Amino acid sequence: MKTMRSLWGKAPFQFELRELPVPDPAPDEVLVRVTACGICGTDLHFLRHNAEWTPLGHEVVGVIAATGARVERWREGDAVIVENHTACGVCAPCKNGRSLYCQNLTSYMDDRAGFADYLRVRQDMVQSYDAQALAPQQAALAEPLTVALDLLQRADPDLNDEVVVFGPGPIGLMVTRLAKLRGARRVFLVGSTRSTPRGQYRLQLGLQMGADVVLSQAEDDVVAVIKGAVPQGVQRVLVTAPPRTLPLAFEIACFGGIIGLIGIEFGAGAAVTFDVNAFHFKKLQLRASHAIPNHYFPIALDLLARRVVDADLLRSHTFPLDDFERAFRTLADSQQATAKVVLTM
Ligand SMILES: [Zn+2]
Ligand SMILES: [Zn+2]
């Protein structure tokens, strides 16, 4: 029996590199040989908070290794990315043209995942990409870019808007670039601190991604600086930071401002208190982004292939799968200058 490596994790920061049988694809499935997979903040959440063993990795790039009996559109050797959540196409929201709100999503993430040699998925969960234009470790940035694109679409910044982005992680850095592409007048990128190598590195990357001003909550008076620059308040706030950031976002938003949010936290930090009267009288809007199903892969792959979004700038580290422990510990360590960390198989 042919076997493969498959990485599982649970809190507190425990790993198992399991040896599992290479699965056979069902008739409507493909078997993907994984070539690269990025580490997401969600993987770190699993390692910090999840008591159950969980398969890790959902930013998957690979090559078709085998096809099920009913599969006609894929051939062995095709370079693909793998969606981690895919709409059903037949429920009422899907049939009403609102597949973003599909009630019957398919995901592989319950019993298998991307930090593995092979991944078996339904044939409509893969999309081809141009392997001449993108190496696997570059294409691995496509999934987080779809997350940033979803946040952009939800908050929908307009031409010449003043935009604040909270959180200079990979999603915040990408949405900084996307907001500038959308015609933002200025983007203010706000991190938590510049006193750590990671904090300083990410704010520096923010300038390279097009931020006009970078600020840190620990070292700068963020509200004073932004209100000084934009006295009427900013039109859009894109929050890719913990929920406690929200009251600050409401404070710096203008009358009628829109706040886009992708910023979960497990435990007590999930609850936030804010002044509803101020929210009401400012006519603010709060819009949640949760990029499942994974829409926008074609746009993401094209932006990466044309270097409009620079995958090499955003990817700070690449490790082979066997070095997983070093990869995860590097990403979790604020003393390391990291952005996106990718594992290759
Ligand atoms: Zn993710
Ligand atoms: Zn559906």
Side-chain angles (χ1 to χ4, degrees), residues 199-218:
Q200 188 175 34
Y201 179 66
R202 290 181 173 189
L203 287 177
Q204 183 58 41
L205 280 181
L207 293 171
Q208 292 175 264
M209 295 298 285
D212 298 275
V213 179
V214 293
L215 298 166
S216 124
Q217 292 199 58

Side-chain angles (χ1 to χ4, degrees), residues 38-43 58-59 84 109 143-144 147 171 340:
I39 302 178
C40 174
T42 305
D43 293 312
H58 55 266
E59 302 176 353
N84 51 57
M109 288 169 61
E143 197 276 349
V147 174
I171 305 300
K340 176 56 72 178

Side-chain angles (χ1 to χ4, degrees), residues 2 29 49 69 72 84 156 162 220 244 257 276 317 320 323:
K2 206 177 160 199
E29 288 182 337
H49 302 284
E72 291 181 353
N84 51 57
D156 199 19
E162 302 275 13
D220 300 310
R244 64 176 178 276
V276 175
H317 294 74
D323 250 354

